[in-house]
């Protein structure tokens, strides 16, 4: 699979249920290869492997993923912590079998770079900040998708 990384989580650790007293590490990212299709990729393993893999690329990089495991996703649980994707599958990376290679999007395919800036939600499923300000009372308690641009960043 070749795609551009459009999102990425930080490395996290959890107690390993199989080996009491040790931890397993994980991080995930989302890749896109067309305007319509993108998929979440998860990796679990030893700290050294996960940190090294996570540090090997960043959002905006093009990656080639070789030998991932394809698994059905548990939509209810998984989409709480990851972007909702149009696929009913996810990719799992294994330290022993999978390889992630990075390359310049210009070397791979310049079309991939343009995918980085496309929204991942239906364009009709957003509220503007103006809508929220005007209708805040009636939207109270609802979960909304917001499409906005950062105008400035300061201390």
């Amino acid at each position: 699979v070749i795609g551009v990384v459009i999102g990425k989580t930080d490395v996290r650790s959890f107690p390993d249920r199989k080996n009491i007293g040790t931890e397993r590490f994980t991080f995930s990212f989302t890749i896109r290869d067309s305007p319509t299709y993108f998929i979440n990729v998860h990796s679990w393993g030893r700290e050294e492997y996960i940190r090294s893999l996570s540090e090997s690329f960043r959002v905006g990089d093009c990656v080639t993923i070789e030998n991932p495991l394809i698994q059905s996703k548990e939509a209810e649980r998984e989409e709480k912590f990851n972007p909702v994707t149009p696929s009913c599958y996810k990719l799992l990376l294994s330290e022993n079998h999978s390889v992630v290679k990075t390359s310049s999007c210009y070397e791979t395919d310049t079309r991939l770079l343009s995918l980085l800036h496309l929204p991942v939600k239906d364009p009709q499923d957003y509220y503007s900040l103006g809508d929220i300000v005007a209708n805040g009372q009636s939207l109270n308690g609802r979960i909304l998708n917001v499409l906005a641009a950062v105008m400035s960043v300061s201390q």
Side-chain angles (χ1 to χ4, degrees), residues 49 53 64-68 93-95 97-101:
Y49 167 69
L53 182 59
T64 302
I65 301 173
E66 298 175 359
N67 298 323
L93 300 180
S94 156
E95 182 173 0
H97 299 99
S98 307
V99 176
V100 177
K101 298 176 184 173

Side-chain angles (χ1 to χ4, degrees), residues 121-141:
K121 292 280 191 175
D122 177 351
Q124 306 305 313
D125 191 23
Y126 289 108
Y127 282 83
S128 71
L129 295 176
D131 290 340
I132 294 169
V133 170
N135 303 303
Q137 214 56 15
S138 65
L139 300 173
N140 189 24

Side-chain angles (χ1 to χ4, degrees), residues 12 25 30-31 42 47 49 58 63 67 75 78 81 84-85 96 102 111-112 114 116 118 129 134 141 144 148 155:
R12 297 182 318 246
F25 288 77
T30 306
I31 62 167
H42 302 273
E47 180 176 14
Y49 167 69
R58 55 184 195 213
V63 295
N67 298 323
E78 306 216 12
F81 306 106
V84 176
T85 63
N96 296 326
T102 60
R111 290 176 298 153
L112 289 176
S114 67
L116 185 60
L118 292 178
L129 295 176
L144 307 174
Q155 292 184 332

Side-chain angles (χ1 to χ4, degrees), residues 3 18 22 24 28 40 50 53 80-81 83-84 86 88 107 121 127 135 138 142 154:
K18 294 179 184 174
T22 63
R24 291 183 68 200
S28 58
N40 291 320
I50 295 299
L53 182 59
K80 282 184 183 177
F81 306 106
V84 176
C88 54
E107 293 172 14
K121 292 280 191 175
Y127 282 83
N135 303 303
S138 65
R142 292 186 52 201
S154 63

Side-chain angles (χ1 to χ4, degrees), residues 8-14 23-29 43-58 93 95 100:
K8 184 177 164 188
T9 68
D10 292 330
V11 172
R12 297 182 318 246
S13 66
F14 297 93
E23 291 183 303
R24 291 183 68 200
F25 288 77
T26 185
F27 86 103
S28 58
F29 58 99
S43 186
W44 288 85
R46 298 177 305 110
E47 180 176 14
E48 300 80 23
Y49 167 69
I50 295 299
R51 289 202 187 279
S52 173
L53 182 59
S54 176
E55 292 168 3
S56 70
F57 62 88
R58 55 184 195 213
L93 300 180
E95 182 173 0
V100 177

